Amino acid sequence: MMKEKLYFYYTSDLHSHFENWPQIVGYFNDQKKKHEKKGEEYWLFDNGDHVDRFHPIAEGLMGKGNVELLNEAGYDVATIGNNEGITLASEDLHSLYDHATFRVVCANLDCKSSSSPAWLKPYHILESKYGTKIGVLGLTAPFQAFYQQLGWDVLSPFDILDGVIEELRNQTDIIILLSHLGINEDEEIARRYSDIDIIIGGHTHHLFKNGEYIDGVLLTAAGKHGTHLGEVAVEWNIDTRHLEKKEAYAIPTEQLKKDDGVTKKVKEIRSKAVHELGTPVTYLREPLHIAWFQDTPLMKRLTDQLRLWTSADIAMLNAGVLLDHLSAGEITYEDIHRICPHPMNPCLVELKGDELLEVVRAAHTKELTEIRLKGFGFRGEVIGKMVFAGIDIEMGMDDDGGEHVKRVTFAGEPIDYDRTYQFATADTFTFGRFFPEIAYAKSKKYFMPELLRDLLSEALKS
């Protein structure tokens, strides 16, 4: 009875954390040597969000430095995460993988503004030396409101699966889903689609150290930032054409040996990216400082710019969005990126007067300003003080010495409970629990592909 062992290695949600990249590729290279010595076959996958514009490599080269690193490492297939999909301008995403030496699969993404790029395919079929066919399908998180703004269309993953799974099953022996959808969707897919053999999960940064099984489907996930890499091993019976064994592991990378050649390559690409970011933006006669829990001229200037940019009545930003001071002298785009690395877009929502007052009150609570936020596009440490433009806020003192919002006026008049106000903020606050009035606002307009640092550049020029 003839059996073959097949191995799949993957990364997921690296988010441009290249500090772990030399260990990851070093491990892959060691495993490749072992498999080649034994005559075993292996493939490398990336499950999306390899690109994150918080890092100079991703920003300076608009993701192409990430692709170069994937090429160098010998990847075979990758899918697209939301950081590739909605933090790049349409033309930058369209050309992102033009020079990729690996396949890019994403079945629920399509370009509306022009023909889809040649590299974009719904799936790719790998074939072992014994003729075993492995279908690798990709799906990404359907952030339709964002993709639509950028000229792309993202479809329901379940609608896509309904149409493509049978087609793939008829052509392949094993089906692997690269899912940048999140744990809840992965579990639902496992329950609905028994033809899928393995789901490599990501997006929600979950970690399955030894894989999980749902109705016979193997789910695996390797967390975030390259702290772990993923390994899947399967045993295929060639005679009975049956998958007899499948296992998955998440391997910690911290103690793995670094590949010196990869370390050198990352430094080379970083130097090239930093050079690209050297464009002068403005000249400062004196330094501008930041303070996460105080008003500063720099933060006030950025919030004013947000209000002007979006033609809003009122704007609000958190002081924690700026991470460092600006020195006197020439300011380059590298400086702007260093102090405001977040891939966050301006957003305009409509709030009734009573909702606006709730937002203002919540913004002045210590519980909110001291939250150590991770995710939602924010790459800082704490939310920090909320800074407003367009309204005047009078504070009062409680009996116990605490502050509270006493009076809020717009254009010299008290806030009208029934009036609708145009309110600008960062897209971060349209998600999550921070401000329900903003998160559940019926009218939301995202400004894309502009990021907050683009507004900061404009503010400093003026």
Side-chain angles (χ1 to χ4, degrees):
M1 190 173 285
M2 187 133 181
K3 299 178 183 179
E4 68 175 330
K5 289 185 176 179
L6 305 171
Y7 296 87
F8 308 96
Y9 298 92
Y10 70 89
T11 44
S12 186
D13 295 279
L14 188 81
H15 286 279
S16 297
H17 277 263
F18 300 116
E19 62 271 19
N20 296 310
W21 190 245
Q23 297 97 293
I24 290 168
V25 180
Y27 181 83
F28 289 162
N29 290 340
D30 287 344
Q31 295 304 106
K32 286 178 189 179
K33 289 172 189 172
K34 290 177 186 176
H35 293 314
E36 285 164 3
K37 196 172 182 180
K38 294 179 181 179
E40 296 168 337
E41 290 188 86
Y42 58 85
W43 292 271
L44 302 186
F45 302 150
D46 185 75
N47 195 39
D49 276 5
H50 193 282
V51 174
D52 191 317
R53 288 178 61 184
F54 96 94
H55 195 283
I57 284 178
E59 180 72 1
L61 302 172
M62 284 298 148
K64 290 185 173 67
N66 297 68
V67 172
E68 190 176 343
L69 289 170
L70 289 167
N71 285 345
E72 288 278 331
Y75 274 67
D76 297 285
V77 187
T79 194
I80 293 170
N82 47 289
N83 269 266
E84 286 89 6
I86 62 175
T87 70
L88 295 170
S90 180
E91 60 273 19
D92 290 320
L93 175 57
H94 206 283
S95 64
L96 179 59
Y97 300 101
D98 283 352
H99 300 293
T101 55
F102 51 89
R103 304 286 183 156
V104 182
V105 294
C106 192
N108 64 329
L109 186 63
D110 191 24
C111 191
K112 291 193 308 177
S113 57
S114 64
S115 58
S116 287
W119 47 259
L120 180 60
K121 304 294 181 186
Y123 57 80
H124 178 62
I125 298 175
L126 302 166
E127 188 170 348
S128 78
K129 61 187 175 185
Y130 292 111
T132 304
K133 293 183 177 178
I134 305 112
V136 186
L137 172 70
L139 290 169
T140 197
F143 291 139
Q144 177 63 9
F146 291 91
Y147 278 107
Q148 200 167 26
Q149 284 277 106
L150 293 167
W152 293 78
D153 200 15
V154 66
L155 307 170
S156 159
F158 294 98
D159 290 346
I160 294 295
L161 287 168
D162 287 342
V164 81
I165 285 295
E166 187 176 353
E167 173 188 329
L168 204 49
R169 176 50 78 198
N170 290 336
Q171 300 179 65
T172 61
D173 300 302
I174 299 168
I175 296 177
I176 299 175
L177 172 61
L178 295 181
S179 166
H180 200 87
L181 299 172
I183 187 171
N184 294 333
E185 282 73 9
D186 290 351
E187 290 174 348
E188 182 62 23
I189 288 169
R191 285 188 283 267
R192 285 201 212 179
Y193 303 95
S194 58
D195 280 335
I196 296 175
D197 297 293
I198 299 157
I199 297 175
I200 293 175
H203 181 53
T204 45
H205 300 171
H206 52 294
L207 176 69
F208 292 150
K209 290 185 178 178
N210 296 297
E212 301 280 339
Y213 289 88
I214 295 180
D215 295 342
V217 180
L218 174 60
L219 284 75
T220 176
K224 64 177 180 177
H225 299 172
T227 60
H228 293 74
L229 59 88
E231 181 174 333
V232 179
V234 306
E235 197 170 277
W236 175 256
N237 190 314
I238 296 170
D239 298 323
T240 63
R241 298 180 65 77
H242 179 66
L243 191 58
E244 293 194 343
K245 193 176 182 182
K246 50 186 178 182
E247 299 173 337
Y249 310 97
I251 298 165
T253 60
E254 188 179 3
Q255 301 301 323
L256 296 177
K257 185 182 176 183
K258 292 186 177 185
D259 185 301
D260 292 338
V262 176
T263 301
K264 184 181 177 184
K265 186 66 180 178
V266 171
K267 287 180 179 177
E268 286 175 7
I269 294 176
R270 183 188 173 107
S271 295
K272 187 163 59 172
V274 168
H275 177 74
E276 291 294 323
L277 293 173
T279 308
V281 172
T282 190
Y283 186 91
L284 295 181
R285 286 191 292 272
E286 54 189 47
L288 289 171
H289 297 287
I290 64 158
W292 290 340
F293 299 102
Q294 298 173 25
D295 282 327
T296 63
L298 183 56
M299 196 63 221
K300 184 65 177 167
R301 190 176 293 187
L302 175 57
T303 311
D304 285 337
Q305 184 66 35
L306 173 63
R307 188 174 72 86
L308 292 170
W309 187 281
T310 57
S311 300
D313 298 318
I314 301 150
M316 177 189 79
L317 283 175
N318 57 306
V321 82
L322 297 182
L323 305 186
D324 202 357
H325 313 293
L326 288 174
S327 302
E330 184 178 79
I331 301 299
T332 66
Y333 197 78
E334 182 191 0
D335 296 311
I336 302 295
H337 179 265
R338 173 175 53 81
I339 75 165
C340 192
H342 328 279
M344 288 158 50
N345 305 99
C347 181
L348 187 68
V349 301
E350 290 185 352
L351 298 178
K352 288 284 191 182
D354 58 340
E355 295 171 324
L356 171 61
L357 288 172
E358 283 302 314
V359 168
V360 173
R361 289 186 188 111
H364 284 82
T365 59
K366 192 176 180 183
E367 293 80 10
L368 185 128
T369 58
E370 292 184 355
I371 287 176
R372 301 188 74 81
L373 174 61
K374 291 294 177 188
F376 298 108
F378 185 63
R379 302 292 181 259
E381 295 294 326
V382 294
I383 286 182
K385 180 176 182 176
M386 289 295 172
V387 179
F388 288 84
I391 53 174
D392 292 307
I393 302 168
E394 184 183 340
M395 302 298 293
M397 297 293 288
D398 300 327
D399 293 338
D400 59 4
E403 279 193 319
H404 68 272
V405 176
K406 185 176 179 181
R407 190 165 182 262
V408 182
T409 56
F410 173 75
E413 298 292 329
I415 297 297
D416 183 341
Y417 280 33
D418 297 318
R419 177 175 171 177
T420 298
Y421 295 87
Q422 301 296 315
F423 185 89
T425 189
D427 62 3
T428 299
F429 299 117
T430 66
F431 312 116
R433 67 193 187 280
F434 314 107
F435 298 101
E437 296 79 12
I438 297 174
Y440 298 119
K442 289 180 181 176
S443 173
K444 293 176 187 170
K445 179 184 177 184
Y446 296 98
F447 290 76
M448 304 180 76
E450 301 98 322
L451 300 177
L452 287 184
R453 58 178 165 271
D454 297 317
L455 274 64
L456 181 58
S457 292
E458 291 300 315
L460 289 169
K461 287 176 188 175
S462 63

